[in-house]
Short mmCIF file of all heavy atoms in Angstrom, two decimals:
data_model
loop_
_atom_site.label_atom_id
_atom_site.label_comp_id
_atom_site.label_asym_id
_atom_site.label_seq_id
_atom_site.Cartn_x
_atom_site.Cartn_y
_atom_site.Cartn_z
N VAL K 326 176.45 194.19 255.91
CA VAL K 326 176.60 195.52 255.33
C VAL K 326 177.76 195.54 254.33
O VAL K 326 177.67 196.10 253.24
CB VAL K 326 176.81 196.57 256.44
CG1 VAL K 326 177.17 197.92 255.83
CG2 VAL K 326 175.57 196.70 257.30
N GLY K 327 178.88 194.89 254.70
CA GLY K 327 180.03 194.84 253.81
C GLY K 327 179.72 194.14 252.50
O GLY K 327 180.15 194.57 251.43
N LEU K 328 178.94 193.05 252.61
CA LEU K 328 178.57 192.31 251.41
C LEU K 328 177.69 193.16 250.49
O LEU K 328 177.87 193.17 249.27
CB LEU K 328 177.82 191.03 251.80
CG LEU K 328 177.34 190.13 250.65
CD1 LEU K 328 178.52 189.67 249.81
CD2 LEU K 328 176.56 188.94 251.19
N VAL K 329 176.76 193.91 251.08
CA VAL K 329 175.89 194.77 250.28
C VAL K 329 176.70 195.84 249.57
O VAL K 329 176.50 196.12 248.39
CB VAL K 329 174.81 195.41 251.18
CG1 VAL K 329 174.03 196.48 250.41
CG2 VAL K 329 173.85 194.35 251.70
N ILE K 330 177.66 196.44 250.28
CA ILE K 330 178.50 197.48 249.68
C ILE K 330 179.32 196.91 248.53
O ILE K 330 179.44 197.50 247.46
CB ILE K 330 179.41 198.11 250.75
CG1 ILE K 330 178.56 198.88 251.77
CG2 ILE K 330 180.44 199.04 250.10
CD1 ILE K 330 179.36 199.43 252.93
N THR K 331 179.90 195.71 248.77
CA THR K 331 180.71 195.06 247.74
C THR K 331 179.90 194.79 246.48
O THR K 331 180.33 195.06 245.35
CB THR K 331 181.31 193.75 248.27
OG1 THR K 331 182.10 194.04 249.42
CG2 THR K 331 182.17 193.07 247.21
N LEU K 332 178.70 194.25 246.68
CA LEU K 332 177.84 193.96 245.53
C LEU K 332 177.46 195.24 244.80
O LEU K 332 177.37 195.26 243.57
CB LEU K 332 176.58 193.22 246.00
CG LEU K 332 176.78 191.79 246.50
CD1 LEU K 332 175.48 191.22 247.04
CD2 LEU K 332 177.31 190.89 245.37
N GLY K 333 177.23 196.31 245.57
CA GLY K 333 176.90 197.58 244.94
C GLY K 333 178.04 198.10 244.08
O GLY K 333 177.84 198.57 242.95
N VAL K 334 179.29 198.00 244.61
CA VAL K 334 180.46 198.45 243.84
C VAL K 334 180.62 197.61 242.57
O VAL K 334 180.88 198.14 241.48
CB VAL K 334 181.72 198.37 244.71
CG1 VAL K 334 182.98 198.64 243.87
CG2 VAL K 334 181.63 199.38 245.86
N LEU K 335 180.48 196.28 242.70
CA LEU K 335 180.60 195.40 241.54
C LEU K 335 179.55 195.74 240.48
O LEU K 335 179.83 195.71 239.28
CB LEU K 335 180.48 193.94 241.97
CG LEU K 335 181.66 193.37 242.78
CD1 LEU K 335 181.36 191.95 243.23
CD2 LEU K 335 182.94 193.40 241.96
N ALA K 336 178.36 196.04 240.94
CA ALA K 336 177.30 196.38 240.00
C ALA K 336 177.63 197.66 239.23
O ALA K 336 177.43 197.75 238.01
CB ALA K 336 175.97 196.54 240.74
#
Side-chain angles (χ1 to χ4, degrees):
V326 172
L328 179 60
V329 171
I330 293 175
T331 301
L332 291 175
V334 172
L335 290 176

